[in-house]
Amino acid sequence: MKIITCPINGPRPLQEFHFGGEVRTMPDATAATDAEWADYVFNRSGEPGVKREWWYHVPSGTWFIAERDNCTDEFLRTYLYRAEHVDG
Amino acid sequence: MPYRLLKFALHKKHPEPRMFRAPAELRSEYDVVIIGGGGHGLAAAYYLAKDHGITNVAVLEKGYIGGGGTGRNTAIIRSNYLTKEGVNFYRGSVELFEDLSRELNINLFYSERGHFTLAHSPASLNTQRWRAEVNKHLGISSEVVGPEFIKRKVPEIDLKAGGHQAPIYGALYHPPGAIARHDAVAWGYARGADQRGVEIHQQTAVTDVEIRDDEVAGVHTDKGFIKTRKVLSAVAGWTTNITAMVGLRTPLVIHPLQALVTEPLKPWLNSIVVSASLHLYVSQSSRGELVAGASLDPYELISMRSTLDFAEGMSTGLLDLFPCLGDVKVLRQWAGLCDMTPDFSPIMGTTPIKGFYIDAGWGTWGFKATPISGKTMADTLANDHDHGLIEAFNLSRFKRFELVGEKGAASVGH
Amino acid sequence: MDRRLPPREGEWIDRSRPVKFRFEGAAYTGFAGDVLSSALWANDVRLLGRSFKYHRPRGIYSLAGHDANVMVEDGRRTNIRGDLLSIEPGLDVRSVNTSGGVERDRLQIIDWFGRFLPVGFYYKAFHTPRWLFPFYENRMRKVAGLGRIHPDNKYPPSPKDYAYCDLLVVGAGPAGLAGAIAAAEQGLQVLLVEEQPRPGGSLTWQWAGEPAADQHLFGLLEKVEAFDNIRIRCGTQVAGCYGDHWAALIDDDRLTKLRTKSMLVAAGCFEQPAVFQNNDLPGVMSASAAQRLIHLYAVKPFGKAVVLAANSDGYRAALDLHNAGVVVAALVDLRHDGEPTKLAQMVADVGIVSHTGHAVYEALPARGKKRICGAVICPLDRDGNPRTESSIRIDCDGIAISVGWTPNVGLIYQAGGRFHHAEQVEQLVPLELPAGLFAAGRANGVFDLGDQIDDGCRAGLAAAAHLDRFDGEIPDSPKHQVAAPTHPYPIFAHKRKKNFVDFDEDLHLQDFENAHQEGYDNIELMKRFTTVGMGPSQGKLSNINAIRILARLNGASINETGTTTSRPFHRPVPLGILAGRRFHPQRRTPMHNWHVQAGAEIMHAGAWLRPEYYKAGGQNRDDCILNEAANVRNNVGLIDVGTLGKLEINGPDAVRLLEHLYTGRFRKQQVGRLRYGLACDETGVIIDDGVIARLADDRFYVTATSSGAAAFYREMQRWALIFDMDVTLINATGQLVAMNIAGPNSREVLQELTESDLSKDGFPYLGVREGIVAGAPAKLMRVGFVGELGYEIHVPASYGLHVWTTLMQAGERFRIRPFGVEAQRLLRLEKGHLIVGQDTDALTNPYEADVAWAIGKNKPFFVGSRSLDIIQKKPTTRCLVGLAFGDDQPRPMPSECHLIIADGEIAGRITSIAPRSTLGHSIAMAFVTPELAAVGTRVKIRADDGCIVEAHVAKMPFYDPESTRQQ
């Protein structure tokens, strides 16, 4: 089974994780048009490439960000959200 | 005695012509370019030619025809969906499938086996009843049945599902549920399209779609540029490559879906069995193999790699339902790609880009829709207007928050 | 006739343990260590199976499980390979897929009809007339398929295992053994896995005739034994290789899941067939099979043999046959220049006649085709075509074939390695290996024995270097030998078309030409149309020849023609081994056993076990449920609601977080009070609801639905990060239990167990208190779910059973009874409370569900709010309403999800229904179109069998509309 490196717990097997989807930046709800909001809610960037994704280590309740190539399935890095959060 | 076989004995040389030509040159202009030589793309080409007389068409397939989802699915055909739009759409497909072997003159082994969607809880049974009622209302044969009925039709099933989890409460039974020889569907449509003048180009990859002023102007391939005003993207699990080329935002996310096949066995399973709670589906092919699949891989990945996790989970589920199969051996496992939508309905029809048409969002429900998607997409391309059966599936529905909710009717967990 | 040879060094049979077994109803004797195929061959039984399509007689081909000629069933297990089945006393097997036994198989007549049944014949016929297809399909299904399942078969649970190592070496032949040793010398933990019952690989059969080889084997094994850090497992296959070096090891008993840091594939090769007329009949086998018969099982393969060779291995095999007493009537060498080594002279020295530049053109069947009686050989012209006018007939009962090899490297493909066809060895060799993956020996295209050992050593060092355990010089792979050990095209046409390329699928040469003619002219289409490689041996003996044939038909090179992917499993794996013991986690509350003792009918709610209802005094289910509910209304009842999600939200931003997650307002909620919480997802769809209790300014205690709690907690944590909230979140669902005591007498019962003020003023409706109940620290909440005076009691799990039993005791004189899930659902329906997931579906928003009141006024933002703004602008398409039924209704009543029909259209559906309620009439909740939503509207519901049942829209709550009872 695949191994993912949780920033807190280190390398753990895939079955301990939950995939939380790509990292999306919420637009300003009041400023966004209906179309912009619908795009945020529904549309995704599903094309091949290195993605920033939410992952969750279930036993320890740890959310973190992974940069992963969605074709080779290689995890380039994983890190806690707060540590690298950039506004906007 | 099938008299058609006589000719094989009576001719010294094998009397069969090519199924479809191997056109040498890719021309510089076509009326329609179809990206994707799977079942859907080939069916669309066929109906463009047959229903609309549009034959100046090129189907571009980067690998070999039917090599994507069409060649990898578990070949279940049914119309017992949940929404009115879904039922009417898939019903159209089943009706086409029923006569398709004759129409394409190739035996698709379209075999009505009866389809069970097992419910392991009262709540699940309610959802099956919802489907049954909608089906019956729209004239589709479906009914809720109890455990005794299931046991009669599938004597080898363990109604207790192993005894350590929820038992089988009942099922949605859909007598017209069928299986078919999935590859042959692609071959049949390919021949039908080719015979009517469509060009099928294998080993031809699209590298870009040329858009000028929000209109399709042509297609770049690894064999040169093609001028065209109409492009259909029919590549299912590879759709996000194409949408990236044209800058179209969609909800699609790609997940692998795995399946496995056992060694051939003498016939014993006559029905198609799906468990909504165990997230598995299984049928026995006419070759005798058990073909089985389960739920989607848990994260996005554009790769058709296999996992041991899948094989283990699948086997557990199969033995929970059929404990006598412990010695039956798995021959092979494989994977395909599923382009998933939030509401488990497809994305079909026109797009904001004039001349760019999309047939996508086929998730785990694409093979059964092959004929009707081809027919409706051909109509849509010919008239530059969404066919009635697929209006509800337009990409714009998400912007309008008008989802067509089929999560209750997909075989797979999510 | 007994074909057993005298005892020989290194044989795998134990002559001190004879084994009696039965095959096809006849009794035979073999030895422990025999496999079924060898034991039968020793008894001169050659007809071991029938082929899939034509039911042609088949015997031993590879004797290594590379073919599927010998497949048997024993009344319990099915599709057992004869090559891999060790005989045991009492074994009683029959061949699969025969009609009347393997000798007289009635279906052998199909062989005569071959000309009507070219490849893909079934696509060309049987589909019209349509009505007849099911009949044809039925017949085809019966003829297809191999073994039968046995409905009573019980497979013993097979516990799985885990293992770890630095280096997995696949194959304990010369290269594998050498590689393991080299790696172990550098300190690596090595696991050496061999699929045969004993180690040695080709040293045990291919080189067994040579004294030097024995020394190699003995020496290597001795060295391996000496290392503590080499573990060796025989009788084990590496069935598949998966991401992050995860490998599936399968033996007869179990699946071992191995995590390794590197992998060395030294699994040798599959010997490839030559394609000529009748190359599939019993007596025609690969030379390695003949050698295995001789060296491993001490069985004389034939009386008189022709050897077909295109490499040194064939010459070695001819000598082995000769030394075992077989008359080698001819050695037929496809190569015009013959054998360049001294083996040519050695063969001549023992009187074997060689025919260089010749081919075996046809095997001649004896009467009945159950064995062969001769071979026809022809000279080849310079283009490799047989000159049949100069053919010679040679009497023989066996043809041993050694024309080439293909590497056993499926695992490398699975790990992402790439191969290319190398002309020096006429086989696929690795082109690109991913990091941590190595190949050695014949699998790497190295055939000389000494070179194999050197190559293995090199690979072992490379693995050590990869793991930073060796920084010395690593030699290059030995150069490939001068003469390719594989013939590029050992394939000969024949007009009678029984020259087989794929034995499993009965595909002959012409089938491929036909397929190509029909346009299936790339390797994938050809595979799918012909089914080559799709049978039980998965192409081990057919894929390469198929690629060669296609390449030639296309006028292309092998590399241009490509290959098909390799998928798990190497050898088929039983479902029982993959499934193991089939664990199904269950979650139980501490009161579970109490419920069972009390007669509860237990139901599954996800992983949780809950009492559906309690069986009482011979009453049926419906009566039990109604009585439980009535008892709550009239006296007092107690329900275990421990499965509820229980979440703590503490910290300076607790209110902010709640206001972001839920639709409501909580800023002004008083300490000691409860509010209803409704949560939506980003699309505005209801995903959870519960009760929000404020214990302090910055401490909230929240309940969530049983099925949604884990996901909701998880999302809560994510939102807290995204919104940068200073909160502490705790999921206490498993740590605490909860029970609800409800009914007019509930206060009196509870008061006996607690000093807390339970008075109406001291503890009003929708209040929350912390206190001690029966000695347990407790949170008490006055919720209104079932519509009676009641208290929800949350205590630590260790106190759960004690508090429960104490309440039950205290309540005895108040006629307390436990009530289950179904009674609770009835009671809440009477109060018009929705259940998320039952009365809502995957698309329900608060407006449709009539809970828009829970949306706080003038809230700037909550998850889903912006979407709800958009949704609100659109016309509502459905409304959740209450339905009441008159008394004069036909039975049976509708069920959940029966549809509301208006003007012949679907106008809604029932979401919850209680045919019997404590009110004395039937009630329901349903979605209806807005036109039907007004109170009093008559609606029609289509129940089973199309029966129409009438109801009318009723105001909810049905029971106690002013909600005085719960105050």
Side-chain angles (χ1 to χ4, degrees):
Chain A
M1 133 146 28
K2 188 149 186 73
I3 298 275
I4 301 177
T5 302
C6 169
I8 304 275
N9 298 278
R12 304 296 307 173
L14 176 65
Q15 74 188 50
E16 290 185 13
F17 293 90
H18 169 85
F19 173 64
E22 69 187 51
V23 173
R24 297 174 294 129
T25 310
M26 192 188 297
D28 181 342
T30 42
T33 62
D34 285 359
E36 284 163 355
W37 184 257
D39 177 80
Y40 161 73
V41 166
F42 290 114
N43 287 335
R44 298 291 185 270
S45 310
E47 69 275 8
V50 175
K51 305 281 150 166
R52 281 178 75 219
E53 302 173 330
W54 285 102
W55 282 82
Y56 180 77
H57 182 245
V58 179
S60 66
T62 308
W63 276 109
F64 60 94
I65 306 295
E67 282 170 21
R68 180 182 71 96
D69 183 318
N70 72 358
C71 292
T72 65
D73 209 10
E74 189 192 340
F75 280 80
L76 279 72
R77 53 193 281 242
T78 59
Y79 48 89
L80 293 177
Y81 178 80
R82 257 193 192 143
E84 302 246 0
H85 176 56
V86 175
D87 222 343
Chain B
M1 170 67 187
Y3 61 90
R4 287 156 185 261
L5 298 182
L6 282 175
K7 67 177 170 186
F8 296 119
L10 299 178
H11 288 83
K12 208 159 149 51
K13 187 164 149 35
H14 188 58
E16 297 287 86
R18 274 192 72 101
M19 286 285 282
F20 47 92
R21 296 164 291 158
E25 293 295 306
L26 189 65
R27 291 194 277 110
S28 59
E29 188 168 352
Y30 293 89
D31 290 342
V32 175
V33 169
I34 296 177
I35 308 176
H40 284 221
L42 292 166
Y46 173 78
Y47 291 111
L48 272 172
K50 173 171 178 268
D51 292 351
H52 305 278
I54 298 172
T55 58
N56 187 13
V57 176
V59 176
L60 306 180
E61 167 52 54
K62 78 168 161 67
Y64 59 96
I65 55 164
T70 304
R72 294 163 195 278
N73 61 76
T74 52
I76 297 173
I77 299 161
R78 58 189 176 93
S79 58
N80 57 350
Y81 276 78
L82 186 55
T83 65
K84 191 174 64 175
E85 298 84 351
V87 171
N88 284 331
F89 178 75
Y90 291 104
R91 187 235 312 277
S93 210
V94 169
E95 282 167 3
L96 287 168
F97 255 122
E98 284 167 349
D99 195 45
L100 202 57
S101 293
R102 188 206 56 78
E103 177 171 347
L104 299 177
N105 195 23
I106 181 171
N107 192 349
L108 301 175
F109 275 78
Y110 183 80
S111 175
E112 281 184 13
R113 299 288 185 91
H115 181 280
F116 287 94
T117 309
L118 304 175
H120 297 248
S121 67
S124 176
L125 197 58
N126 292 342
T127 306
Q128 306 318 324
R129 186 177 302 111
W130 187 7
R131 288 165 67 182
E133 292 301 310
V134 172
N135 287 183
K136 284 191 283 199
H137 182 83
L138 296 168
I140 301 293
S141 172
S142 277
E143 53 183 308
V144 169
V145 296
E148 313 75 37
F149 181 89
I150 299 167
K151 188 75 174 164
R152 250 183 306 137
K153 288 280 199 185
V154 193
E156 299 79 5
I157 204 166
D158 177 5
L159 292 173
K160 292 204 164 65
H164 297 294
Q165 61 189 332
I168 296 168
Y169 274 79
L172 175 67
Y173 181 59
H174 177 58
I179 55 174
R181 185 79 187 88
H182 46 84
D183 292 313
V185 174
W187 304 336
Y189 273 123
R191 177 172 62 183
D194 175 78
Q195 279 173 348
R196 288 168 172 80
V198 170
E199 286 183 18
I200 299 170
H201 293 264
Q202 298 181 83
Q203 261 73 53
T204 305
V206 169
T207 54
D208 203 0
V209 178
E210 181 99 2
I211 312 280
R212 288 179 210 140
D213 301 321
D214 284 326
E215 267 197 61
V216 166
V219 170
H220 294 271
T221 76
D222 57 5
K223 298 203 166 81
F225 176 75
I226 302 171
K227 190 156 171 273
T228 185
R229 307 285 294 282
K230 292 195 179 188
V231 168
L232 167 61
S233 170
V235 294
W238 286 265
T239 301
T240 55
N241 290 271
I242 308 294
T243 52
M245 289 174 196
V246 301
L248 198 62
R249 296 264 301 156
T250 74
L252 295 173
V253 291
I254 314 295
H255 284 241
L257 181 67
Q258 300 188 54
L260 59 74
V261 73
T262 68
E263 292 185 310
L265 303 163
K266 286 300 177 195
W268 65 272
L269 180 63
N270 299 321
S271 314
I272 302 159
V273 175
V274 175
S275 167
S277 308
L278 302 187
H279 303 299
L280 70 83
Y281 36 94
V282 60
S283 65
Q284 186 173 23
S285 73
S286 26
R287 276 169 59 92
E289 298 147 334
L290 295 181
V291 183
S295 51
L296 225 47
D297 275 18
Y299 59 96
E300 292 175 43
L301 182 60
I302 309 179
S303 162
M304 293 182 286
R305 69 32 183 151
S306 296
T307 68
L308 184 59
D309 317 337
F310 160 75
E312 294 179 87
M314 181 84 249
S315 304
T316 298
L318 282 174
L319 289 187
D320 282 345
L321 288 183
F322 300 106
C324 67
L325 297 184
D327 284 292
V328 172
K329 293 189 274 296
V330 176
L331 210 48
R332 224 171 90 91
Q333 55 173 145
W334 69 91
L337 296 180
C338 291
D339 49 333
M340 300 298 290
T341 57
D343 56 0
F344 281 37
S345 292
I347 296 177
M348 300 176 75
T350 55
T351 67
I353 301 167
K354 184 159 168 58
F356 184 77
Y357 305 85
I358 193 166
D359 176 54
W362 287 108
T364 64
W365 47 87
F367 173 67
K368 63 177 70 70
T370 304
I372 194 66
S373 76
K375 200 166 175 73
T376 52
M377 289 310 301
D379 188 274
T380 300
L381 259 81
N383 297 314
D384 192 26
H385 179 78
D386 287 347
H387 184 281
L389 273 180
I390 66 170
E391 275 171 343
F393 302 138
N394 193 285
L395 175 63
S396 60
R397 71 178 183 275
F398 299 104
K399 198 169 58 172
R400 295 193 305 270
F401 277 78
E402 283 168 17
L403 276 59
V404 182
E406 283 289 357
K407 268 192 180 157
S411 292
V412 223
H414 34 274
Chain C
M1 187 206 303
D2 181 8
R3 307 201 72 93
R4 195 72 72 172
L5 292 167
R8 51 205 300 121
E9 187 80 33
E11 66 183 18
W12 287 6
I13 54 171
D14 179 357
R15 296 178 193 245
S16 72
R17 288 160 56 203
V19 173
K20 288 197 192 332
F21 66 98
R22 298 180 78 84
F23 172 70
E24 288 279 313
Y28 300 98
T29 304
F31 293 113
D34 260 325
V35 290
L36 179 70
S37 305
S38 64
L40 287 171
W41 208 264
N43 282 272
D44 202 31
V45 177
R46 298 210 172 185
L47 176 52
L48 303 183
R50 290 278 179 177
S51 71
F52 161 63
K53 182 180 175 187
Y54 294 127
H55 290 256
R56 288 169 64 85
R58 293 283 167 82
I60 287 177
Y61 194 85
S62 68
L63 198 50
H66 302 162
D67 66 276
N69 278 352
V70 190
M71 298 259 269
V72 297
E73 51 189 355
D74 68 358
R76 189 174 65 80
R77 301 172 294 171
T78 197
N79 287 341
I80 313 164
R81 305 280 204 276
D83 289 358
L84 307 177
L85 175 64
S86 297
I87 56 166
E88 308 241 314
L91 185 69
D92 187 351
V93 293
R94 289 176 184 276
S95 177
V96 301
N97 195 28
T98 69
S99 173
V102 81
E103 277 285 329
R104 305 173 50 226
D105 186 4
R106 288 184 277 271
L107 293 169
Q108 61 186 295
I109 198 165
I110 299 178
D111 201 17
W112 285 102
F113 289 99
R115 77 188 80 160
F116 296 100
L117 309 172
V119 66
F121 72 92
Y122 38 80
Y123 292 119
K124 318 290 175 73
F126 307 109
H127 52 289
T128 55
R130 254 171 74 179
W131 59 271
L132 211 44
F133 172 70
F135 166 75
Y136 286 131
E137 201 213 357
N138 226 308
R139 313 257 21 102
M140 278 191 254
R141 287 185 72 197
K142 291 203 163 74
V143 167
L146 295 172
R148 288 168 298 177
I149 62 153
H150 299 98
D152 302 322
N153 186 22
K154 292 204 185 339
Y155 196 86
S158 148
K160 298 183 190 178
D161 203 2
Y162 288 89
Y164 304 88
C165 64
D166 294 328
L167 173 65
L168 168 66
V169 178
V170 185
L177 290 166
I181 291 163
E185 276 168 354
Q186 303 305 321
L188 266 56
Q189 291 291 331
V190 178
L191 180 61
L192 178 53
V193 176
E194 166 57 49
E195 70 178 8
Q196 291 289 333
R198 300 193 193 194
S202 57
L203 284 169
T204 63
W205 49 267
Q206 189 177 45
W207 302 93
E210 306 196 6
D214 275 348
Q215 289 200 333
H216 275 305
L217 177 57
F218 184 70
L220 287 166
L221 286 176
E222 215 185 21
K223 276 200 190 152
V224 162
E225 289 284 309
F227 281 99
D228 282 337
N229 49 332
I230 300 180
R231 279 171 294 155
I232 183 165
R233 286 180 58 164
C234 293
T236 304
Q237 62 148 329
V238 181
C241 171
Y242 302 92
D244 289 340
H245 292 306
W246 187 240
L249 272 46
I250 310 277
D251 57 42
D252 285 339
D253 297 321
R254 76 185 74 247
L255 161 65
T256 299
K257 295 186 264 192
L258 173 75
R259 178 84 62 195
T260 182
K261 298 193 184 134
S262 57
M263 183 165 81
L264 164 52
V265 175
C269 291
F270 306 125
E271 185 153 43
Q272 295 299 292
V275 177
F276 54 81
Q277 182 70 5
N278 291 326
N279 64 333
D280 66 318
L281 295 179
V284 182
M285 64 175 70
S286 66
S288 53
Q291 288 176 302
R292 287 176 202 263
L293 277 171
I294 295 168
H295 297 298
L296 305 181
Y297 305 107
V299 176
K300 190 174 170 198
F302 328 106
K304 198 161 181 215
V306 166
V307 175
L308 174 62
N311 51 34
S312 314
D313 306 311
Y315 283 70
R316 236 174 262 116
L319 289 170
D320 283 352
L321 284 166
H322 173 85
N323 293 333
V326 175
V327 175
V328 181
L331 196 160
V332 179
D333 194 327
L334 294 175
R335 301 170 291 178
H336 286 282
D337 298 332
E339 171 64 21
T341 70
K342 60 178 166 40
L343 287 163
Q345 188 58 49
M346 289 168 70
V347 153
D349 285 347
V350 297
I352 296 173
V353 178
S354 294
H355 303 260
T356 57
H358 277 64
V360 170
Y361 181 66
E362 186 171 343
L364 297 171
R367 216 167 76 85
K369 293 208 290 271
K370 294 171 191 169
R371 50 184 68 209
I372 58 169
C373 62
V376 173
I377 71 172
C378 301
L380 298 171
D381 65 24
R382 276 289 149 187
D383 296 325
N385 299 316
R387 288 183 11 229
T388 53
E389 70 280 4
S390 310
S391 64
I392 310 165
R393 186 216 148 100
I394 301 177
D395 285 345
C396 65
D397 61 307
I399 302 174
I401 302 173
S402 184
V403 297
W405 305 91
T406 194
N408 178 4
V409 289
L411 294 172
I412 299 184
Y413 276 105
Q414 287 160 33
R418 298 195 310 126
F419 286 78
H420 75 141
H421 178 83
E423 283 195 8
Q424 312 98 294
V425 279
E426 288 292 348
Q427 82 172 46
L428 296 169
V429 296
L431 178 64
E432 201 181 296
L433 292 176
L437 198 58
F438 307 92
R442 294 185 303 146
N444 192 29
V446 176
F447 279 80
D448 176 79
L449 179 56
D451 286 348
Q452 285 182 50
I453 293 171
D454 289 343
D455 199 37
C457 190
R458 168 206 60 85
L461 290 177
H466 171 73
L467 297 178
D468 291 327
R469 309 281 273 277
F470 179 73
D471 56 9
E473 178 131 352
I474 300 173
D476 290 331
S477 257
K479 287 273 173 286
H480 301 306
Q481 62 176 90
V482 174
T486 293
H487 192 276
Y489 203 82
I491 299 164
F492 305 101
H494 196 283
K495 63 177 195 288
R496 285 203 309 272
K497 304 187 200 157
K498 290 294 192 306
N499 46 351
F500 291 95
V501 176
D502 188 318
F503 299 135
D504 288 356
E505 303 288 297
D506 275 348
L507 295 169
H508 52 81
L509 176 61
Q510 184 69 40
D511 284 333
F512 292 85
E513 292 166 1
N514 293 351
H516 186 266
Q517 180 180 312
E518 291 189 42
Y520 300 96
D521 54 9
N522 62 58
I523 192 60
E524 289 294 337
L525 286 181
M526 173 154 283
K527 175 186 116 179
R528 285 158 186 281
F529 180 71
T530 63
T531 71
V532 67
M534 289 172 64
S537 9
Q538 290 287 291
K540 293 181 177 70
L541 301 183
S542 58
N543 277 348
I544 292 303
N545 277 338
I547 291 170
R548 288 171 174 153
I549 292 165
L550 182 58
R552 188 170 278 207
L553 288 169
N554 281 340
S557 72
I558 303 277
N559 283 321
E560 286 166 343
T561 305
T563 180
T564 62
T565 343
S566 167
R567 293 278 188 182
F569 299 107
H570 166 63
R571 281 188 197 162
V573 181
L575 286 169
I577 285 191
L578 289 168
R581 285 179 287 179
R582 294 190 272 142
F583 295 124
H584 296 290
Q586 287 179 351
R587 296 185 81 172
R588 306 175 179 196
T589 73
M591 293 83 97
H592 176 78
N593 289 338
W594 190 99
H595 299 314
V596 171
Q597 299 290 349
E601 183 66 32
I602 299 292
M603 62 180 266
H604 292 259
W608 286 105
L609 299 184
R610 306 193 63 185
E612 190 186 347
Y613 66 95
Y614 295 81
K615 294 187 280 268
Q619 294 171 351
N620 69 31
R621 177 181 180 274
D622 289 346
D623 285 340
C624 288
I625 293 167
L626 193 59
N627 289 334
E628 284 173 24
N631 192 61
V632 171
R633 294 257 178 263
N634 301 327
N635 301 313
V636 54
L638 184 63
I639 181 170
D640 180 350
V641 291
T643 63
L644 274 181
K646 307 171 205 71
L647 310 174
E648 292 182 30
I649 300 163
N650 305 322
D653 283 333
V655 167
R656 265 188 72 220
L657 181 63
L658 287 171
E659 296 208 332
H660 273 69
L661 289 181
Y662 290 94
T663 61
R665 280 267 193 211
F666 306 99
R667 189 166 306 275
K668 299 208 185 117
Q669 181 177 351
Q670 287 173 8
V671 172
R673 301 287 293 171
L674 307 174
R675 284 196 182 173
Y676 176 66
L678 179 74
C680 296
D681 67 15
E682 285 194 293
T683 70
V685 166
I686 296 171
I687 53 166
D688 213 75
D689 71 348
V691 155
I692 306 200
R694 190 168 202 165
L695 303 177
D697 275 345
D698 59 352
R699 282 176 56 222
F700 285 84
Y701 181 68
V702 162
T703 65
T705 65
S706 305
S707 52
F712 191 64
Y713 174 68
R714 188 180 65 220
E715 293 309 311
M716 183 182 289
Q717 290 179 289
R718 175 161 46 173
W719 287 122
L721 283 177
I722 291 174
F723 297 134
D724 203 14
M725 304 265 179
D726 186 0
V727 287
T728 305
L729 304 174
I730 300 173
N731 184 350
T733 301
Q735 186 215 344
L736 302 171
V737 302
M739 59 201 89
N740 198 304
I741 184 164
N745 299 329
S746 56
R747 179 182 280 131
E748 275 144 308
V749 177
L750 182 57
Q751 193 68 84
E752 301 213 357
L753 273 54
T754 182
E755 314 244 302
S756 296
D757 179 359
L758 301 180
S759 68
K760 192 162 165 178
D761 296 322
F763 190 170
Y765 177 58
L766 295 182
V768 55
R769 298 285 180 269
E770 292 181 275
I772 310 283
V773 173
K779 289 186 258 289
L780 297 166
M781 302 197 285
R782 282 200 56 194
V783 297
F785 198 48
V786 299
E788 298 298 331
L789 172 67
Y791 303 81
E792 198 162 279
I793 305 158
H794 293 229
V795 296
S798 52
Y799 289 95
L801 183 59
H802 168 72
V803 173
W804 177 277
T805 50
T806 312
L807 278 168
M808 288 300 298
Q809 274 161 17
E812 255 180 55
R813 60 195 171 89
F814 297 98
R815 292 201 286 258
I816 194 170
R817 287 176 53 192
F819 65 106
V821 172
E822 285 302 316
Q824 187 192 43
R825 289 155 76 91
L826 168 58
L827 292 165
R828 67 88 207 177
L829 178 59
E830 292 176 359
K831 288 300 290 182
H833 291 303
L834 64 78
I835 291 179
V836 172
Q838 163 126 355
D839 305 294
T840 70
D841 53 52
L843 291 177
T844 310
N845 62 60
Y847 306 111
E848 298 170 325
D850 197 22
V851 284
W853 56 262
I855 300 177
K857 299 271 180 292
N858 302 321
K859 272 187 74 170
F861 176 84
F862 58 87
V863 172
S865 63
R866 185 67 182 83
S867 299
L868 287 175
D869 288 344
I870 298 172
I871 289 168
Q872 201 184 19
K873 289 189 268 196
K874 303 161 77 71
T876 323
T877 55
R878 54 182 184 163
C879 310
L880 191 64
V881 300
L883 295 181
F885 296 75
D887 295 321
D888 54 337
Q889 289 303 321
R891 292 299 189 257
M893 289 288 282
S895 302
E896 288 85 352
C897 292
H898 273 127
L899 302 174
I900 311 250
I901 307 293
D903 298 322
E905 292 294 327
I906 299 174
R909 78 176 189 279
I910 306 271
T911 63
S912 293
I913 185 164
R916 297 165 71 197
S917 74
T918 65
L919 306 158
H921 61 93
S922 311
I923 51 173
M925 237 190 258
F927 278 114
V928 296
T929 55
E931 301 77 53
L932 300 175
V935 170
T937 313
R938 302 197 69 77
V939 295
K940 288 182 164 45
I941 303 144
R942 187 187 287 138
D944 281 339
D945 298 323
C947 268
I948 299 294
V949 175
E950 293 206 347
H952 61 272
V953 178
K955 207 158 145 44
M956 294 196 287
F958 303 96
Y959 171 79
D960 184 24
E962 306 303 309
S963 293
T964 53
R965 307 263 308 180
Q966 65 201 32
Q967 295 295 334

